[in-house]
Amino acid sequence: MSGSIYGKHFQISTWGESHGKALGVVVDGCPAGISLCEEDIQKSLNRRKPGQNRYSTPRSEDDAVEILSGVFEGKTTGTPISLIVFNKQQRSADYSEIASYYRPGHADYTFDEKYGFRDYRGGGRSSGRETIGRVAAGAIATKILDQLGIQITAYSKSIGPVVISPERFDLSQRDSNPLAMPDAVAAEEAAAYLDSCRKNGDSSGGMVECRVTGMIPGLGDPVFEKLSANLAKAMFSIGAVKSFELGDGIAASQAKGSTNNDAFSLDNSGNIVKSTNHSGGTLGGISDGNDLLFRVGFKPTPSISASQQTVNKDRKEISVSIKGRHDPIIVPRAVVVVESMAALTLTDALFSNMYTRMDHILDFYRR
Amino acid sequence: MSGSIYGKHFQISTWGESHGKALGVVVDGCPAGISLCEEDIQKSLNRRKPGQNRYSTPRSEDDAVEILSGVFEGKTTGTPISLIVFNKQQRSADYSEIASYYRPGHADYTFDEKYGFRDYRGGGRSSGRETIGRVAAGAIATKILDQLGIQITAYSKSIGPVVISPERFDLSQRDSNPLAMPDAVAAEEAAAYLDSCRKNGDSSGGMVECRVTGMIPGLGDPVFEKLSANLAKAMFSIGAVKSFELGDGIAASQAKGSTNNDAFSLDNSGNIVKSTNHSGGTLGGISDGNDLLFRVGFKPTPSISASQQTVNKDRKEISVSIKGRHDPIIVPRAVVVVESMAALTLTDALFSNMYTRMDHILDFYRR
Amino acid sequence: MSGSIYGKHFQISTWGESHGKALGVVVDGCPAGISLCEEDIQKSLNRRKPGQNRYSTPRSEDDAVEILSGVFEGKTTGTPISLIVFNKQQRSADYSEIASYYRPGHADYTFDEKYGFRDYRGGGRSSGRETIGRVAAGAIATKILDQLGIQITAYSKSIGPVVISPERFDLSQRDSNPLAMPDAVAAEEAAAYLDSCRKNGDSSGGMVECRVTGMIPGLGDPVFEKLSANLAKAMFSIGAVKSFELGDGIAASQAKGSTNNDAFSLDNSGNIVKSTNHSGGTLGGISDGNDLLFRVGFKPTPSISASQQTVNKDRKEISVSIKGRHDPIIVPRAVVVVESMAALTLTDALFSNMYTRMDHILDFYRR
Amino acid sequence: MSGSIYGKHFQISTWGESHGKALGVVVDGCPAGISLCEEDIQKSLNRRKPGQNRYSTPRSEDDAVEILSGVFEGKTTGTPISLIVFNKQQRSADYSEIASYYRPGHADYTFDEKYGFRDYRGGGRSSGRETIGRVAAGAIATKILDQLGIQITAYSKSIGPVVISPERFDLSQRDSNPLAMPDAVAAEEAAAYLDSCRKNGDSSGGMVECRVTGMIPGLGDPVFEKLSANLAKAMFSIGAVKSFELGDGIAASQAKGSTNNDAFSLDNSGNIVKSTNHSGGTLGGISDGNDLLFRVGFKPTPSISASQQTVNKDRKEISVSIKGRHDPIIVPRAVVVVESMAALTLTDALFSNMYTRMDHILDFYRR
């Protein structure tokens, strides 16, 4: 259990390092009979690919995915789906320098403490490239949810001090600017802010917001396997995440019950609905049919060229400046990772929910 | 998998409803040879017991725990430890009214959607009494951590708009006021705020902060089983939690790398330490030896006597006012639950970490 | 993970020792809406109760079960079901002697090696009483299978050298003799054999056979989670089991393909069936719709009054004779344990199978 | 959970089909710091490679393994190890005929029942080639056990009616004959038997025996996670297995306690030992320090050229004869698979055992 397996029903096992031969994932528990081709997965991978604009590392990678198993005549067979992405730039850099000290804000020190040594090439397993397996597997989960009408949409909500405006919110803008902001004005302000950060050899944090529509009520279990708890874990498993909020989030802790409770009412068709959604789509940790709405806060990219203090292998205090061009912000490329982890988590909850009622089980087997 | 089992190495299985005969927990995977008696567990249970002050439900329960198995001649045997707490007030109330409608902010609606019906007596399994099993098991985990010098301390950081002051911070105050605030002045302000809430039939949210000292570096795994991710899940598995922050939390998403990164330096003994702890004690999801520091935001108690809109069994919109005296704030009693879930999560990570290095495995078996 | 949790979907957590206060089980993942009362469970427990005839230990226990949670108004709620059986004779015996040496064939030595000490009262956790939790939980699983038409029937196939005869096979006899043999003649022969064993202070091994009718094809997964593999584990988890055979079992290893293969044919309704069932009801580890048929071999009860050599606490070789009246054969009381473990294993496979096909998942959620 | 993940601590995730692009495995939970190169793994894979003699399918495959991740500068890093073997002959055959009917004794029918269709090329995921991932991962587990002095040795014990003789037992013979029999005379008799089987278009079953020396006492847990139970599952997860016996196995069910119990005594150094090993190396499911000894029975290869009855896609009864040259016996090539599954199971138990005693945990963390 080194921690690279996720899910209890729809299980994924990711592998690979920043500068190894390849990265990939094995998906165990994907239902049979889903149409699946490489293009389905490539679309998602392309959204996290590096080098697409000036706010992303210039590393050149196609990140072309290959399906190695589990698909026959265009359909999933129900057996493990193995996906692989070969690294192109695995030998390009000289890592002797970063091998010699601990980069502040990175996992260099903790890997050494835990394992006794580390693969120092580009962060090894703690690199952002590790998310390739998550996004590839998430693309399959997304196909499953799609067929049930469940849609997951994430975007950059804030970058440094720049927050999108509810008035200007326009989802169609998200894919039109390099910062994945659904607000063209905020995107320009954020770009200016990032340019100034980079000029100073600095980086910025930011926040991703995610909305899930078409939710089915009843997903998630009481107590430890709450849908909300599993989403919290899913999001905090992404590198650099420091906060997770569901619905009103932190504001709920400052609120009163009379304003925070969501009243129930009837819609025009006589269905029970909530008049508001402060809770963010769950009650008691179980989905209530409303949109899921949550926010994930990311710390600034730790690789900065500004001078920092640290300690080297010889246990001497030194000043360092991380070389190379790094992402000044992780948030825009993390948007698809947030969506992928949400898709994996929801798919797992969807399957788990199928055996919770005896009448449903009887219907299933007597059909 | 109805979600009442927690942990992968130190596994607990909780059970029981608010108004059933009893509640309890089975602990599977507790090491042999730990001194354990009922008083060890009772101390923790007493901290979450109802009816101790005017900010807590007046339900009268001793919450006296009994050890049914797994302990022989005062020591744990390595086999399952079964703990039980009998309910005293299981038949006291008339629940026919709340059986007839969905209480806003409660899990009534989602339980009905998921299971087809619900145990409506006092919230059934989604009651706060469900945490008895967590706290009882957490007391055992705490004994394990104690022996390794790991100490977990939580307290109320804010109640409604009242936040403790860093200048007045005094941990010894925590157990001297009914609101578990380590700041006597803030505790008085919060009490006044709660009194006004209650006068208006309202309730308040709040925030718990938790610090873990004596941390061992290297706990947690990269990728999905990050210590931070498991803490996030643990905290979000507690009812009413809407936010989780590690270290600087949300502030990190507004920060720059140059200020957010924690520089490494050497302490007087020549050990590698961090000069600051913005990260909250993990790097790459693995403990870095610094204190863990995290905050958990709770929504206001949903049971309020002020009038609310909802829908009843006959699918009619109605106005309701929840009767009885309920906790106007969940936070002070949740403090020990936060500590317990942290203890369970850390113990699990502690065991998992033992088989990560071949040299350590050889040392272990060749000793 | 001390190993007292079984199942991945329908999960049970058993606890309790031979001479502790009580034994029990928590069932997590039982579907909502199943009628359940104590009598449903008591029926199964009564079949394993001691002291019912002269081939069973005379320990006097009612083994009366109590439901502590998870049932409301006569139906399962979908939340954990806690079942408890109090021990009556927990303090009756003097165990100072067996505390002082290692009983041959028992787990005394291995418990000491593993845990550093042991609960020596009546075998502690390795006692046959540990199966109370399995049988209680198995009774619930059996109710689920019943509703789908799946019936599990086990019986004693052989006791020492006495084997039931296919010609005389009469299932109605099973519950008419104390040895659970579906053959009245063999039962008498076996009784005589056991009487002679006991006269010599000796004990006997035997074999249980189990048949499952009404099977649904498609249960079990390829590779590691084969239905056959999980049955093998389930049976070998019962104390004293030394062999497991599916279908022709050992005979298959001496056979030829031409005689061992089961031909496919069509029945009168045009359904595909197998003409024979050498395989015992699985192909590739997945149920094929035929009866499951397997055999479980038990070693002789290790507690015998005949003199044996062993080593005591002072590391001296000694001769011992186990005092008290013990079961001279474990097999008749193990019949219901075999059925229970089969029921638990099948229920788990039944739930797992529900999310293997996308068309079925869509049907389920769009109903 | 499609069942291709094995282990709880040392976890492997296998993937790939007989005629897909490749097969492989991801090992999650391998400790850091183990020297590992492709040759270490290739040695084991070569033992199961097809086409090496006339008792094996003539399919030509190099089965050359490549390490894609988890190893840095010749040592395991503690992160997932991805291993891949490309198929060479993936497009060689015409499978249209076997696509049209259900082969007796194969998983064709059950895959169709479970998944709605199947990858019919060479058996797809239920092919013997699926074991490549197991053997590759098993080679790593074997390296771990080696360092602790634990050695696993399996061999063919019987082929059809031909059984090795205890008097002629000579392990050095095992690798000198194509049937992996540690008895040169039996190997010749078995070869003659197989030649006659094949002449008649038939196949044979057989049995593998496995011995583990250098065992550490205390491995395995009481109740469900007995070492014996996990070995039973491991072995029954191998295709074509129909029986599993530990120690005296089936003979124990016919024995008396006085002869079946293993007496304890002291060896020359004063250590507690067992005078006999009828139990096969466990007591109460926990290793007792003696050799593990178990036997695994395999049914005859179901692919035979002799005529068989079956049903085709159009639901017509037909006679078929499986074309091509198939293994007339699966046993010799299964020997390394049995060893691999034993190695994986033991490694898992080894890690699980590390956190069972508080004094050992304290020693570990205070070292």
Side-chain angles (χ1 to χ4, degrees):
Chain A
M1 209 182 282
S2 77
S4 288
I5 295 178
Y6 184 76
K8 296 192 174 177
H9 298 77
F10 187 89
Q11 297 187 291
I12 73 167
S13 181
T14 71
W15 57 271
E17 297 93 35
S18 173
H19 286 64
K21 287 185 184 171
L23 301 109
V25 63
V26 180
V27 179
D28 192 38
C30 181
I34 302 170
S35 299
L36 189 72
C37 64
E38 278 138 0
E39 182 51 26
D40 291 325
I41 299 159
Q42 195 62 51
K43 276 187 301 184
S44 292
L45 285 175
N46 288 348
R47 290 176 59 200
R48 72 155 298 293
K49 214 163 64 175
Q52 302 190 99
N53 59 63
R54 73 180 192 276
Y55 305 106
S56 157
T57 165
R59 177 170 172 166
S60 164
E61 290 285 354
D62 294 337
D63 286 354
V65 71
E66 199 176 336
I67 299 175
L68 294 176
S69 71
V71 175
F72 180 58
E73 297 184 342
K75 290 197 181 283
T76 58
T77 60
T79 61
I81 302 170
S82 178
L83 304 173
I84 194 167
V85 166
F86 284 93
N87 281 324
K88 280 169 61 186
Q89 290 207 338
Q90 62 180 100
R91 285 196 194 86
S92 55
D94 175 10
Y95 285 96
S96 56
E97 193 186 326
I98 68 164
S100 73
Y101 62 78
Y102 294 129
R103 291 172 298 165
H106 278 282
D108 300 347
Y109 175 70
T110 50
F111 266 64
D112 267 17
E113 281 293 310
K114 186 172 191 73
Y115 298 114
F117 75 117
R118 71 185 191 274
D119 178 350
Y120 47 73
R121 301 165 304 163
R125 184 68 181 148
S126 68
S127 160
R129 283 189 75 67
E130 170 270 316
T131 59
I132 283 177
R134 304 178 186 227
V135 172
I140 301 176
T142 300
K143 285 208 79 170
I144 294 171
L145 297 172
D146 262 358
Q147 295 190 46
L148 290 158
I150 299 174
Q151 297 281 342
I152 303 172
T153 310
Y155 44 80
S156 304
K157 178 168 179 91
S158 69
I159 286 178
V162 183
V163 189
I164 57 168
S165 147
E167 289 74 33
R168 289 189 307 255
F169 187 94
D170 176 3
L171 191 56
S172 70
Q173 286 295 318
R174 184 191 71 172
D175 301 326
S176 307
N177 66 72
L179 299 178
M181 284 187 127
D183 171 344
V185 176
E188 279 195 36
E189 287 171 20
Y193 177 74
L194 288 177
D195 288 339
S196 86
C197 285
R198 202 164 41 195
K199 219 163 90 181
N200 300 318
D202 214 336
S203 63
S204 173
M207 191 170 281
V208 172
E209 187 164 73
C210 184
R211 179 180 292 274
V212 185
T213 59
M215 277 299 294
I216 292 168
L219 303 188
D221 291 290
V223 193
F224 303 116
E225 299 299 327
K226 288 180 167 79
L227 181 58
S228 45
N230 278 318
L231 284 171
K233 175 171 180 171
M235 296 308 144
F236 254 89
S237 78
I238 305 172
V241 169
K242 305 307 283 186
S243 67
F244 176 76
E245 298 175 276
L246 182 63
D248 283 6
I250 284 193
S253 66
Q254 296 147 357
K256 293 187 178 179
S258 57
T259 53
N260 185 70
N261 279 353
D262 298 313
F264 288 104
S265 56
L266 299 171
D267 69 9
N268 293 336
S269 322
N271 298 314
I272 297 173
V273 293
K274 295 193 317 187
S275 306
T276 52
N277 189 16
H278 297 293
S279 79
T282 68
L283 282 169
I286 299 169
S287 66
D288 61 20
N290 271 256
D291 289 357
L292 287 178
L293 187 70
F294 57 85
R295 284 175 300 289
V296 187
F298 289 81
K299 71 173 185 180
T301 324
S303 290
I304 56 175
S305 54
S307 174
Q308 301 180 86
Q309 293 303 111
T310 191
V311 172
N312 70 7
K313 270 208 292 203
D314 304 325
R315 302 229 151 194
K316 296 231 167 82
E317 296 185 339
I318 56 167
S319 285
V320 299
S321 163
I322 312 291
K323 285 171 190 160
R325 242 187 72 198
H326 295 274
D327 297 23
I329 177 87
I330 209 172
V331 162
R333 290 178 63 203
V335 164
V336 68
V337 182
V338 165
E339 289 179 7
S340 299
M341 290 308 301
L344 293 167
T345 305
L346 280 166
T347 302
D348 216 57
L350 204 67
F351 294 176
S352 172
N353 185 53
M354 292 179 73
Y355 51 95
T356 41
R357 284 177 59 168
M358 194 63 210
D359 53 352
H360 293 174
I361 296 168
L362 290 175
D363 284 352
F364 183 91
Y365 276 109
R366 286 176 179 162
R367 73 177 180 281
Chain B
M1 207 182 282
S2 78
S4 287
I5 295 177
Y6 184 75
K8 298 193 172 175
H9 299 75
F10 187 89
Q11 297 187 292
I12 73 167
S13 181
T14 71
W15 56 271
E17 297 93 35
S18 173
H19 285 64
K21 289 185 184 171
L23 300 109
V25 64
V26 180
V27 179
D28 191 39
C30 180
I34 302 170
S35 300
L36 189 72
C37 65
E38 277 138 2
E39 181 52 26
D40 291 326
I41 298 159
Q42 196 63 50
K43 277 187 299 184
S44 292
L45 284 175
N46 288 349
R47 289 176 59 200
R48 71 155 299 293
K49 214 164 61 173
Q52 304 191 98
N53 60 63
R54 73 181 194 277
Y55 304 108
S56 157
T57 166
R59 177 171 173 165
S60 164
E61 291 285 354
D62 295 337
D63 286 353
V65 71
E66 202 178 331
I67 299 175
L68 295 175
S69 71
V71 176
F72 180 59
E73 298 184 340
K75 290 198 181 282
T76 58
T77 60
T79 62
I81 302 169
S82 179
L83 304 174
I84 194 168
V85 166
F86 284 93
N87 281 324
K88 281 169 60 187
Q89 290 209 338
Q90 62 182 99
R91 284 196 194 87
S92 56
D94 174 11
Y95 285 97
S96 57
E97 192 186 327
I98 69 163
S100 73
Y101 61 78
Y102 293 128
R103 290 173 299 164
H106 277 283
D108 301 347
Y109 175 72
T110 50
F111 266 64
D112 267 17
E113 281 292 311
K114 186 172 190 74
Y115 297 114
F117 75 117
R118 71 184 189 276
D119 179 349
Y120 47 73
R121 302 165 304 163
R125 183 71 181 145
S126 67
S127 160
R129 282 189 75 67
E130 169 271 317
T131 59
I132 283 177
R134 304 178 185 227
V135 171
I140 302 175
T142 300
K143 285 208 79 168
I144 294 171
L145 298 172
D146 263 358
Q147 295 189 46
L148 290 159
I150 299 175
Q151 297 281 343
I152 303 174
T153 311
Y155 44 80
S156 303
K157 178 170 179 92
S158 70
I159 286 178
V162 183
V163 188
I164 58 169
S165 145
E167 287 74 33
R168 289 189 305 254
F169 187 95
D170 175 3
L171 191 55
S172 70
Q173 286 294 318
R174 184 191 70 169
D175 301 326
S176 308
N177 67 73
L179 299 178
M181 284 187 128
D183 171 345
V185 177
E188 280 194 36
E189 288 171 18
Y193 177 75
L194 288 177
D195 287 339
S196 86
C197 285
R198 201 164 42 194
K199 218 164 89 183
N200 300 319
D202 215 337
S203 63
S204 173
M207 191 169 282
V208 173
E209 187 165 74
C210 186
R211 180 181 292 275
V212 185
T213 59
M215 279 297 297
I216 293 168
L219 303 188
D221 291 291
V223 192
F224 302 116
E225 300 298 328
K226 288 181 166 79
L227 180 58
S228 46
N230 278 317
L231 284 170
K233 175 171 180 172
M235 297 308 144
F236 255 89
S237 79
I238 306 172
V241 169
K242 305 307 283 185
S243 66
F244 177 76
E245 299 175 275
L246 182 63
D248 284 5
I250 284 194
S253 65
Q254 297 147 357
K256 293 187 180 179
S258 57
T259 54
N260 186 72
N261 280 352
D262 298 315
F264 288 104
S265 57
L266 300 171
D267 69 8
N268 292 335
S269 321
N271 298 315
I272 297 173
V273 293
K274 296 192 318 185
S275 307
T276 52
N277 190 16
H278 298 291
S279 78
T282 68
L283 281 169
I286 300 168
S287 66
D288 61 20
N290 272 254
D291 289 357
L292 285 179
L293 187 70
F294 57 86
R295 283 173 302 288
V296 187
F298 289 81
K299 70 173 186 180
T301 325
S303 290
I304 56 175
S305 54
S307 174
Q308 301 181 86
Q309 294 303 113
T310 191
V311 172
N312 70 8
K313 267 209 292 204
D314 304 325
R315 300 229 153 196
K316 295 229 166 84
E317 296 184 339
I318 57 169
S319 283
V320 298
S321 163
I322 313 290
K323 285 170 191 160
R325 242 188 73 199
H326 295 273
D327 299 22
I329 177 88
I330 209 171
V331 162
R333 291 178 63 204
V335 164
V336 68
V337 183
V338 164
E339 289 180 7
S340 299
M341 291 307 302
L344 294 167
T345 306
L346 280 165
T347 302
D348 216 59
L350 204 66
F351 294 175
S352 172
N353 186 53
M354 292 178 73
Y355 51 95
T356 43
R357 283 176 60 168
M358 195 63 211
D359 52 351
H360 293 173
I361 296 168
L362 290 175
D363 284 352
F364 183 91
Y365 277 109
R366 287 178 180 159
R367 73 181 179 279
Chain C
M1 209 182 281
S2 77
S4 288
I5 295 178
Y6 185 75
K8 297 193 172 175
H9 299 76
F10 187 89
Q11 296 186 292
I12 73 167
S13 180
T14 71
W15 57 272
E17 297 93 34
S18 174
H19 285 64
K21 288 185 184 173
L23 301 109
V25 64
V26 180
V27 179
D28 192 39
C30 180
I34 302 170
S35 301
L36 188 73
C37 64
E38 277 139 2
E39 181 52 27
D40 290 327
I41 298 159
Q42 196 62 51
K43 276 187 300 183
S44 291
L45 285 175
N46 288 348
R47 289 176 59 200
R48 72 156 298 293
K49 214 163 64 173
Q52 303 192 96
N53 59 63
R54 74 181 192 277
Y55 303 108
S56 157
T57 166
R59 176 171 173 164
S60 165
E61 291 286 354
D62 295 337
D63 287 354
V65 72
E66 200 177 334
I67 299 175
L68 295 175
S69 71
V71 176
F72 180 60
E73 298 184 340
K75 290 197 182 283
T76 58
T77 60
T79 62
I81 302 169
S82 178
L83 304 173
I84 194 168
V85 166
F86 284 93
N87 281 324
K88 281 170 59 187
Q89 292 208 338
Q90 62 181 100
R91 283 197 194 86
S92 57
D94 174 10
Y95 284 97
S96 56
E97 192 187 327
I98 69 164
S100 73
Y101 60 78
Y102 294 128
R103 290 172 299 165
H106 278 282
D108 301 347
Y109 175 72
T110 50
F111 265 65
D112 268 17
E113 282 292 312
K114 187 172 191 73
Y115 298 113
F117 74 117
R118 71 184 188 277
D119 179 349
Y120 47 74
R121 302 165 304 164
R125 183 71 181 146
S126 67
S127 159
R129 283 189 75 68
E130 169 271 316
T131 60
I132 283 178
R134 304 178 185 225
V135 172
I140 302 175
T142 300
K143 285 208 80 169
I144 295 171
L145 297 172
D146 263 359
Q147 295 190 46
L148 290 159
I150 299 175
Q151 298 281 342
I152 302 174
T153 311
Y155 43 81
S156 303
K157 177 168 180 94
S158 69
I159 286 179
V162 183
V163 188
I164 59 169
S165 146
E167 287 75 34
R168 290 190 305 256
F169 187 95
D170 175 3
L171 191 56
S172 70
Q173 285 295 319
R174 184 192 70 170
D175 301 326
S176 309
N177 67 72
L179 299 178
M181 285 186 126
D183 171 344
V185 176
E188 280 195 34
E189 288 171 19
Y193 177 75
L194 288 176
D195 287 339
S196 86
C197 285
R198 202 163 41 193
K199 218 164 89 182
N200 300 318
D202 215 337
S203 64
S204 174
M207 191 169 282
V208 173
E209 188 165 74
C210 185
R211 179 180 293 274
V212 185
T213 59
M215 278 298 296
I216 292 167
L219 302 188
D221 291 291
V223 192
F224 302 116
E225 299 298 329
K226 288 181 166 79
L227 180 58
S228 46
N230 278 318
L231 285 170
K233 175 171 180 172
M235 298 307 144
F236 254 89
S237 79
I238 306 172
V241 169
K242 306 306 284 185
S243 66
F244 176 76
E245 299 176 276
L246 181 65
D248 284 6
I250 284 194
S253 66
Q254 296 147 357
K256 293 186 178 179
S258 56
T259 54
N260 185 71
N261 280 352
D262 298 313
F264 288 104
S265 57
L266 299 171
D267 69 8
N268 292 336
S269 321
N271 299 316
I272 297 173
V273 293
K274 296 192 317 187
S275 306
T276 52
N277 189 16
H278 297 292
S279 79
T282 68
L283 281 169
I286 300 169
S287 66
D288 61 20
N290 272 254
D291 290 357
L292 285 179
L293 187 70
F294 57 85
R295 283 175 302 288
V296 187
F298 290 81
K299 72 174 185 179
T301 325
S303 290
I304 57 175
S305 54
S307 174
Q308 302 180 86
Q309 294 303 114
T310 191
V311 172
N312 70 9
K313 269 209 291 205
D314 304 326
R315 301 231 152 193
K316 295 229 166 83
E317 297 186 338
I318 55 168
S319 282
V320 298
S321 163
I322 313 290
K323 285 170 190 161
R325 243 188 72 198
H326 295 274
D327 298 23
I329 177 87
I330 209 172
V331 161
R333 290 179 63 204
V335 164
V336 68
V337 183
V338 165
E339 289 179 7
S340 299
M341 292 307 302
L344 294 167
T345 306
L346 280 165
T347 302
D348 216 59
L350 204 66
F351 295 175
S352 171
N353 186 52
M354 291 178 72
Y355 51 95
T356 42
R357 284 176 59 168
M358 194 62 211
D359 52 352
H360 293 173
I361 296 167
L362 290 175
D363 285 351
F364 182 91
Y365 277 108
R366 287 177 179 160
R367 72 177 181 281
Chain D
M1 210 182 281
S2 78
S4 288
I5 295 178
Y6 185 76
K8 297 192 174 176
H9 299 75
F10 187 89
Q11 296 187 292
I12 73 167
S13 180
T14 71
W15 57 271
E17 297 93 33
S18 173
H19 285 65
K21 287 186 185 173
L23 300 110
V25 64
V26 180
V27 179
D28 191 39
C30 181
I34 302 170
S35 300
L36 188 72
C37 64
E38 277 139 1
E39 182 52 25
D40 291 326
I41 298 159
Q42 196 62 50
K43 275 187 299 184
S44 292
L45 285 175
N46 287 348
R47 288 176 60 200
R48 70 156 300 292
K49 213 163 64 173
Q52 303 191 97
N53 60 63
R54 74 181 192 275
Y55 303 107
S56 155
T57 166
R59 177 170 172 166
S60 165
E61 291 285 354
D62 295 337
D63 286 354
V65 71
E66 201 176 335
I67 299 174
L68 295 175
S69 71
V71 175
F72 180 59
E73 297 184 342
K75 290 196 181 286
T76 59
T77 60
T79 62
I81 302 170
S82 178
L83 304 173
I84 194 168
V85 166
F86 284 93
N87 281 324
K88 281 170 59 188
Q89 290 208 340
Q90 62 181 101
R91 285 197 193 86
S92 56
D94 174 11
Y95 284 96
S96 56
E97 193 186 326
I98 69 164
S100 72
Y101 62 78
Y102 294 129
R103 290 172 299 163
H106 278 281
D108 301 346
Y109 174 72
T110 49
F111 266 65
D112 268 17
E113 282 292 311
K114 188 173 189 72
Y115 298 114
F117 75 117
R118 71 184 189 275
D119 178 349
Y120 47 74
R121 301 165 304 163
R125 183 70 181 147
S126 68
S127 159
R129 284 189 74 69
E130 169 270 317
T131 60
I132 283 177
R134 304 178 185 226
V135 172
I140 301 175
T142 300
K143 285 207 81 169
I144 294 170
L145 297 172
D146 262 359
Q147 295 189 47
L148 289 159
I150 298 174
Q151 296 281 341
I152 303 173
T153 311
Y155 43 81
S156 304
K157 178 169 179 90
S158 70
I159 287 178
V162 183
V163 188
I164 58 168
S165 147
E167 288 75 34
R168 288 188 307 253
F169 187 94
D170 176 4
L171 191 57
S172 71
Q173 285 294 319
R174 183 191 73 170
D175 301 326
S176 308
N177 66 73
L179 299 178
M181 284 187 127
D183 171 345
V185 176
E188 279 195 35
E189 288 170 19
Y193 177 74
L194 288 176
D195 287 338
S196 85
C197 285
R198 201 163 43 194
K199 218 164 92 181
N200 299 318
D202 215 337
S203 64
S204 174
M207 190 169 280
V208 173
E209 188 165 73
C210 185
R211 180 180 292 274
V212 185
T213 60
M215 278 299 295
I216 293 167
L219 303 188
D221 292 290
V223 194
F224 303 117
E225 300 298 328
K226 288 181 167 78
L227 180 59
S228 47
N230 278 318
L231 284 170
K233 175 171 180 171
M235 297 307 144
F236 255 89
S237 78
I238 305 172
V241 169
K242 305 306 283 186
S243 66
F244 176 76
E245 299 175 276
L246 181 64
D248 284 6
I250 284 193
S253 66
Q254 296 147 358
K256 294 187 178 178
S258 57
T259 53
N260 186 71
N261 280 354
D262 299 313
F264 288 104
S265 56
L266 299 170
D267 68 8
N268 292 335
S269 322
N271 298 315
I272 298 173
V273 293
K274 297 193 316 186
S275 306
T276 53
N277 190 16
H278 297 292
S279 79
T282 68
L283 282 168
I286 300 169
S287 66
D288 61 20
N290 271 254
D291 289 357
L292 286 178
L293 187 70
F294 57 85
R295 283 173 301 289
V296 188
F298 289 81
K299 71 174 186 179
T301 325
S303 291
I304 56 175
S305 55
S307 174
Q308 301 180 88
Q309 293 302 111
T310 192
V311 172
N312 70 9
K313 269 210 291 204
D314 304 325
R315 301 229 151 194
K316 295 230 167 80
E317 297 186 338
I318 56 168
S319 284
V320 298
S321 164
I322 313 290
K323 284 170 190 162
R325 243 188 73 198
H326 295 273
D327 297 25
I329 177 88
I330 209 172
V331 162
R333 290 178 63 204
V335 163
V336 68
V337 182
V338 165
E339 289 179 7
S340 300
M341 291 307 301
L344 294 167
T345 305
L346 281 165
T347 302
D348 216 58
L350 204 66
F351 294 175
S352 171
N353 186 53
M354 293 178 72
Y355 51 94
T356 42
R357 285 176 61 167
M358 194 63 209
D359 52 352
H360 293 174
I361 296 168
L362 289 176
D363 284 351
F364 183 91
Y365 276 109
R366 287 176 180 163
R367 77 180 175 277

